[in-house]
Amino acid sequence: SSINKFIKMRNRTFNLLLNNLGFGMNILAIFAAIATILGFLGRQWWVFQLLDHLRVQLSLILLLAILLNGIKYRFWSLAFSLPLFLNVLLILPLFIPPSQNINAVQGNNTDQNSLQLLHLNLDRNNTNYTPTLQYLDQQNADLIFLQEVTPAWLNQIESNLTRYRLVESRPLKNSHGVAFLVPTNLPPSLQIKNTEILHFPSNSERPMIGTQIQGNQTLSILSLHVTRPRNNGTSNYQKTELDAVAAWSQQQQNQGNQVIIIGDFNLTPWSSRFRQFLQAAHLRNSQRGFGLQPTWLAGLPPFMMIAIDHAVYSENLMTLDRKIGPKLGSDHLPLWLEVTPRG
């Protein structure tokens, strides 16, 4: 009958579509499996270092391949489980809060000793100033650190922000410009002891803002923006920058100060270089327990974005809350953080 013919044709079309989709996904999964392994070899070639940042995307490809092959009972596809497991092993810790944080109140309550920080890479090519200025003026952050601040951006900030004032700035026409803002009515409990422009390493042309805040304890805070790897030379220089910052962190902690480093690391939290930096600097990742929270590229769907804006701190601090802000015209999303002393 015509109904049976229609059903058979529909089934053949569905099977053909499924087979073609499965074939294409298997090819992608093979490349994803290879990329997963090569991502561990970043020290051998800077391109492999970049593959280390794609763990989430590689995991999604491998998982989809396993599911599609499962429909056709292709059990050989379970071989994709090994590279999937390796990726998940690196990503999963972001969803597990440190044991010291489990009893902390997150979200709605604010600890009286907490500090709220906001970091945003403005994007020097973004000339749509209004959304960003409105967003900044609506925040209740104690400290705001801005990057890629151009002279035009600084003029807009000085002219239009009403609830925040500049403490330090170094506007530049390239991507290295920086600015540091605090509320016009800074709480008496927060005292800015010192603010300066730092360079890591000392001969670097890139300015970074360092400040010491006196509350219940002395906090040394650095607004970090490291080089984006584009070739072997810039990748090696990024390592040099991070080594210098790690030495600064150790020095500050040896002097009895707590350390917070917030900014554009151009690294994902599961990358080997980021993990090596945390170990060398004796710092913890504020993202633990808060999931993926991707910040770049802002125009992409969330599952295609990666987290390269971070806040890390010394072990006597902990995260009360951590959020990613909305799209504001930059290729980065804002990072908002509330930290408090442990115990």
Side-chain angles (χ1 to χ4, degrees), residues 64-137:
L64 283 174
I66 293 171
L67 293 176
L68 281 173
N69 283 295
I71 294 175
K72 303 292 286 187
Y73 300 102
R74 294 168 179 159
F75 296 111
W76 60 264
S77 66
L78 292 176
F80 293 142
S81 298
L82 177 58
L84 175 60
F85 173 76
L86 293 175
N87 289 323
V88 171
L89 201 62
L90 293 172
I91 299 168
L92 188 60
L94 295 180
F95 294 86
I96 304 173
S99 57
Q100 299 93 332
N101 288 29
I102 291 177
N103 295 324
V105 177
Q106 298 180 358
N108 296 326
N109 297 322
T110 301
D111 189 286
Q112 61 179 355
N113 296 321
S114 72
L115 182 70
Q116 299 180 49
L117 302 94
L118 178 65
H119 153 76
L120 175 59
N121 184 317
L122 296 174
D123 188 349
R124 64 191 176 99
N125 296 315
N126 176 25
T127 57
N128 186 15
Y129 306 114
T130 302
T132 298
L133 295 170
Q134 290 178 346
Y135 173 79
L136 292 176
D137 240 358

Side-chain angles (χ1 to χ4, degrees), residues 246-259:
W248 173 86
S249 174
Q250 291 182 36
Q251 179 187 48
Q252 295 299 314
Q253 293 179 68
N254 289 338
Q255 294 173 1
N257 301 335
Q258 299 301 313
V259 170

Side-chain angles (χ1 to χ4, degrees), residues 201-220:
S202 58
N203 61 352
S204 170
E205 296 180 355
R206 187 189 296 268
M208 302 184 195
I209 294 179
T211 186
Q212 282 195 338
I213 306 296
Q214 183 65 56
N216 292 334
Q217 55 188 325
T218 301
L219 286 172
S220 294

